[in-house]
Amino acid sequence: MQCDYFDRGVCRSCTLMGQPYADQVLDKEIRTRELLHDAVEAAGGPGAVAWLPAVTSPESAYRNKAKMVVGGTVQQPTVGILDHRQRGVDLRHCGICTPGIQRALPVLAEFIADTGLIPYDVAARRGELKFVLVTESPDGELMVRFVLRSEGQLPRLRQRLDGLRAVLPEAVVVTANLLPEHKAVTEGDREVVLTEQETLPMRFGAVTMHLRPQSFFQTNTHVAAELYAQATAWIDEVSPSSMWDLYCGVGGFALHAARPGRAVTGIETSREAIRSAKQSAREAGLQDVRFAADDATEHALRARPGTTPGLVLVNPPRRGIGEALSTWLEASDVEHVVYSSCNPVTLAKDLARMPSLRLRRVRVLDMFPQTGHLEAVTLLSRA
């Protein structure tokens, strides 16, 4: 992939830009194999572990969510990042964003200028509009979120909403997020939905997930579909009668793995994500799937003897599942674990704490082309 922003030194966020894509994927596979070396040896050596071919991604136009800092001036706003002096750098034509987002960003920049939304000046701590966040669904619909310092701009946004949707009809969900504090976060706790529609449907074949404004979703739609398919295939192979999906987000793994007679429980701390997951399960008519807002580790530690499932799927943030949950899994009678990780370093540490759960299958998925980040999904079975 070629990127003018990278070539000009304007943006270096994609650290592998310019490196042949096949080499990027190979390096990620090699790094994952090196980090999981001890787990492979504990499982009985390379012959005991199946390494499936890596799942690749389109090199460009893959990212379904853009988190753009708004800078510049009212007349000439920038949407992109901040430079070392905290000045706005415009990246409205960023090539890793999906086509729908690439079309939307220039429209949104013009809307910001026409509406008179004052970009937030980080250095001076003045202004109103901090970020614009855009997510595209597999169907090409958009969720647009304006992150504001205060409620003062809400009347203006409401007044101009019809005009925005006239030039950007794909924007089916538009919100204002309120972030009054000056701190290094992207969004605040309060969300004001400006449209009648509150969720963005994310359709993956027969499964539709509902994405709410403050819910996590995989950033690469193509690779996410492959990830759900791979995990589901392994789950169906071992065929547990019950399973937990911990760190379930909006329920992607749980909804894909649901089968008649299989009791599925999804656990996630975000109440907004759980609302979405429950809505998806209800609309799909899934009787044996339940979701609850709870801490994944606390949920496991409270489990009574005889109530643990046959399989646990974990999809934690970069920090991994940690000592408490991995120790609990090691001591439990759970027969199988599917571990989806965005950080093979913490994956390796967690596997070392679960020696009775042997590594059986591994697959690297290139969720983040042009960067050093990756997703690795593994199947563990009790020795």
Side-chain angles (χ1 to χ4, degrees), residues 13-47:
S13 299
C14 294
T15 55
L16 303 184
M17 187 67 69
Q19 180 178 339
Y21 183 60
D23 292 349
Q24 293 183 32
V25 177
L26 179 60
D27 288 347
K28 292 177 184 183
E29 286 196 279
I30 291 173
R31 179 155 52 94
T32 304
R33 286 176 180 267
E34 290 174 347
L35 288 167
L36 298 188
H37 173 269
D38 290 349
V40 171
E41 291 301 310

Side-chain angles (χ1 to χ4, degrees), residues 251-326:
F253 288 106
L255 294 167
H256 278 84
R259 299 288 184 271
R262 178 180 295 163
V264 179
T265 299
I267 300 297
E268 165 65 44
T269 57
S270 169
R271 295 188 179 277
E272 288 299 296
I274 290 299
R275 285 181 64 198
S276 299
K278 287 181 176 180
Q279 179 180 348
S280 300
R282 184 170 60 251
E283 291 182 0
L286 299 175
Q287 301 296 320
D288 297 326
V289 179
R290 61 176 290 269
F291 294 97
D294 197 359
D295 178 81
T297 300
E298 292 301 318
H299 174 81
L301 295 179
R302 287 197 306 269
R304 299 186 304 275
T307 64
T308 52
L311 181 144
V312 171
L313 185 146
V314 293
N315 181 32
R318 291 187 59 77
R319 65 178 180 272
I321 64 174
E323 183 176 1
L325 183 52
S326 54

Side-chain angles (χ1 to χ4, degrees), residues 129-165:
L129 182 58
K130 296 185 174 183
F131 302 92
V132 61
L133 313 177
V134 189
T135 303
E136 183 177 14
S137 78
D139 295 332
E141 295 179 327
L142 300 176
M143 176 188 293
V144 178
R145 303 170 62 205
F146 297 95
V147 181
L148 300 168
R149 189 182 186 188
S150 71
E151 298 182 29
Q153 304 300 310
L154 288 180
R156 187 174 298 184
L157 272 179
R158 288 193 172 99
Q159 184 181 8
R160 300 297 297 271
L161 181 60
D162 288 344
L164 172 61
R165 298 189 68 186

Side-chain angles (χ1 to χ4, degrees), residues 233-266:
W234 288 343
I235 293 168
D236 285 343
E237 181 182 330
V238 301
S239 192
S241 60
S242 60
M243 65 168 280
W244 291 349
D245 177 5
L246 303 182
Y247 312 91
C248 71
V250 296
F253 288 106
L255 294 167
H256 278 84
R259 299 288 184 271
R262 178 180 295 163
V264 179
T265 299

Side-chain angles (χ1 to χ4, degrees), residues 48-287:
V49 179
W51 287 80
L52 282 71
V55 173
T56 58
S57 164
E59 295 183 43
S60 61
Y62 71 84
R63 189 175 178 87
N64 62 27
K65 183 173 184 178
K67 301 179 180 181
M68 295 300 199
V69 181
V70 180
T73 64
V74 178
Q75 295 78 19
Q76 293 183 310
T78 61
V79 288
I81 58 175
L82 299 179
D83 65 13
H84 66 286
R85 296 182 182 178
Q86 303 297 309
R87 298 176 303 188
V89 176
D90 196 88
L91 302 176
R92 70 183 66 183
H93 300 293
C94 176
I96 66 169
C97 295
T98 55
I101 293 177
Q102 291 188 45
R103 289 191 298 270
L105 290 177
V107 176
L108 290 168
E110 186 174 341
F111 172 79
I112 291 167
D114 291 345
T115 307
L117 296 174
I118 304 170
Y120 184 67
D121 186 325
V122 174
R125 301 193 178 190
R126 292 195 304 265
E128 284 295 325
L129 182 58
K130 296 185 174 183
F131 302 92
V132 61
L133 313 177
V134 189
T135 303
E136 183 177 14
S137 78
D139 295 332
E141 295 179 327
L142 300 176
M143 176 188 293
V144 178
R145 303 170 62 205
F146 297 95
V147 181
L148 300 168
R149 189 182 186 188
S150 71
E151 298 182 29
Q153 304 300 310
L154 288 180
R156 187 174 298 184
L157 272 179
R158 288 193 172 99
Q159 184 181 8
R160 300 297 297 271
L161 181 60
D162 288 344
L164 172 61
R165 298 189 68 186
V167 294
L168 194 62
E170 305 94 328
V172 297
V173 181
V174 180
T175 76
N177 177 274
L178 300 179
L179 177 60
E181 301 89 355
H182 178 87
K183 58 183 180 181
V185 296
T186 307
E187 60 188 42
D189 295 332
R190 186 181 170 199
E191 198 87 23
V192 180
V193 180
L194 304 174
T195 49
E196 182 177 351
Q197 186 170 323
E198 296 184 357
T199 67
L200 184 67
M202 306 294 283
R203 297 181 179 88
F204 285 71
V207 175
T208 297
M209 290 162 278
H210 287 275
L211 185 62
R212 292 180 185 274
Q214 298 190 43
S215 301
F216 167 80
F217 196 82
Q218 300 286 357
T219 59
N220 188 321
T221 301
H222 170 80
V223 177
E226 296 289 339
L227 174 62
Y228 293 140
Q230 182 60 80
T232 301
W234 288 343
I235 293 168
D236 285 343
E237 181 182 330
V238 301
S239 192
S241 60
S242 60
M243 65 168 280
W244 291 349
D245 177 5
L246 303 182
Y247 312 91
C248 71
V250 296
F253 288 106
L255 294 167
H256 278 84
R259 299 288 184 271
R262 178 180 295 163
V264 179
T265 299
I267 300 297
E268 165 65 44
T269 57
S270 169
R271 295 188 179 277
E272 288 299 296
I274 290 299
R275 285 181 64 198
S276 299
K278 287 181 176 180
Q279 179 180 348
S280 300
R282 184 170 60 251
E283 291 182 0
L286 299 175
Q287 301 296 320

